[in-house]
Amino acid sequence: MREVFKFYGYEFRWLEVLDLLIVVFLVIQLYRLLKGSLAFNIFVGLLMIYAGFFLVRALRMPILTNILQNFINVGLIAIIIIFQPEIRKFLLVLGKKTPLSKDSFLTKLFLPDKFKSYKDEENIINEIITAVGRMMGTHTGALIVVATTYRLKFDTASSIPIDANVSAKLIESIFNKHSPLHDGALIIVGNKMLAAKVILPVSENPDLPTRVGLRHRSAVGITEHSDNLAIIVSEERGTVSFAQDGNLTQDVSLEDLKVKLYEVLIDGYA
């Protein structure tokens, strides 16, 4: 029995339909990943080149077909270079969905030490929430990056190393308006504050609200291609926001921020 079906007189194999559905799914995922970034325009341009290639090949135009074919062959390397951050983010998201990811059933089954006491993480969350709450009350601008899955790479030339335990009072003193460390970001990895006055990459996402400042754009920028949480306290309005996976969530309550920190530091390892 042939695994085919007819549609308007054309015969299709089920594998051909599955092949088409997979391609459509991948294109949709790429669209969602690139939407709102400058790379999206490049992606659209590449789609037009591929569409043009198939068109001139169907019309049997040998010169244009040969030119576009050579461009596509050579352009594969260029595509990898141009879309390196997006490819990295895609693989990062894909890795979270695998059976060996940190929140998968197999990890919980074969790595029971994951179910340890989270007293340290809860203490870190409380210290951050306490500091953020006080800075909101005094309209003290702040940018705190909480690295979640791997040691964050940042510009060590401009930053000041700290290597201290997470402390609300120390966080407040770092972002005090009269402190030489208040400009830039504070980096927290595990239960340590690694560095302050860190310069972060600024997001070029055109969909960000025009009223957001450099802190917010830097928070989005550091989370666009890495699995981190960035917390922002607005100096002008005294409100708190956070960025994750390149998305900015503004004007959240301390309780919402605490839930997000639990999700990142505890639920992510449970």
Side-chain angles (χ1 to χ4, degrees):
M1 179 179 178
R2 298 179 61 191
E3 297 179 353
V4 299
F5 69 95
K6 293 184 178 180
F7 183 76
Y8 284 97
Y10 294 94
E11 290 188 351
F12 297 92
R13 294 169 56 242
W14 285 109
L15 286 179
E16 292 174 342
V17 177
L18 179 61
D19 182 33
L20 178 61
L21 292 177
I22 293 175
V23 171
V24 171
F25 172 77
L26 291 176
V27 171
I28 293 175
Q29 295 302 312
L30 282 174
Y31 172 79
R32 295 177 59 185
L33 180 66
L34 300 176
K35 182 181 179 182
S37 66
L38 295 178
F40 178 74
N41 294 332
I42 301 176
F43 176 67
V44 173
L46 291 174
L47 287 182
M48 294 179 63
I49 292 176
Y50 272 91
F53 168 72
F54 288 115
L55 177 63
V56 297
R57 190 176 65 174
L59 296 176
R60 297 182 180 180
M61 303 171 66
I63 299 178
L64 283 176
T65 301
N66 186 55
I67 292 175
L68 292 178
Q69 179 68 68
N70 291 332
F71 178 84
I72 290 174
N73 292 338
V74 177
L76 288 177
I77 299 177
I79 290 174
I80 295 176
I81 297 174
I82 293 173
F83 291 103
Q84 186 271 337
E86 285 72 22
I87 293 174
R88 179 178 178 179
K89 183 177 180 180
F90 175 77
L91 294 176
L92 183 64
V93 173
L94 184 64
K96 291 182 178 180
K97 306 300 182 181
T98 63
L100 297 179
S101 62
K102 67 182 181 183
D103 54 350
S104 68
F105 171 75
L106 290 179
T107 302
K108 296 175 183 178
L109 180 63
F110 295 104
L111 296 176
D113 59 309
K114 291 288 183 180
F115 301 101
K116 62 181 181 179
S117 171
Y118 293 104
K119 184 177 180 180
D120 291 342
E121 285 79 3
E122 291 180 349
N123 180 66
I124 292 171
I125 293 173
N126 291 331
E127 293 292 327
I128 294 176
I129 291 297
T130 299
V132 169
R134 291 173 180 170
M135 290 188 293
M136 290 174 64
T138 58
H139 284 231
T140 301
L143 175 53
I144 304 171
V145 178
V146 181
T148 54
T149 57
Y150 58 86
R151 196 174 183 86
L152 180 66
K153 294 181 180 180
F154 53 88
D155 185 9
T156 57
S158 61
S159 62
I160 304 299
I162 298 178
D163 194 23
N165 292 330
V166 178
S167 165
K169 292 184 178 180
L170 184 53
I171 294 175
E172 291 179 71
S173 66
I174 289 174
F175 290 109
N176 184 283
K177 298 176 183 179
H178 303 290
S179 169
L181 303 180
H182 76 279
D183 286 328
L186 170 67
I187 305 297
I188 297 178
V189 180
N191 63 345
K192 293 288 185 179
M193 298 190 297
L194 290 190
K197 203 175 181 180
V198 180
I199 297 177
L200 302 179
V202 179
S203 174
E204 298 179 348
N205 187 345
D207 293 335
L208 287 175
T210 55
R211 63 186 179 89
V212 300
L214 184 61
R215 281 195 179 95
H216 293 77
R217 293 185 178 275
S218 297
V220 174
I222 195 60
T223 63
E224 283 179 333
H225 312 302
S226 58
D227 190 18
N228 302 297
L229 177 70
I231 303 168
I232 317 101
V233 180
S234 172
E235 184 174 351
E236 296 180 356
R237 298 183 296 144
T239 57
V240 62
S241 308
F242 65 78
Q244 188 179 36
D245 296 328
N247 299 313
L248 179 64
T249 304
Q250 294 184 270
D251 302 336
V252 300
S253 65
L254 285 179
E255 186 61 32
D256 291 335
L257 178 60
K258 191 171 186 178
V259 170
K260 174 56 66 173
L261 284 169
Y262 266 93
E263 175 187 318
V264 170
L265 294 178
I266 295 182
D267 293 347
Y269 293 93

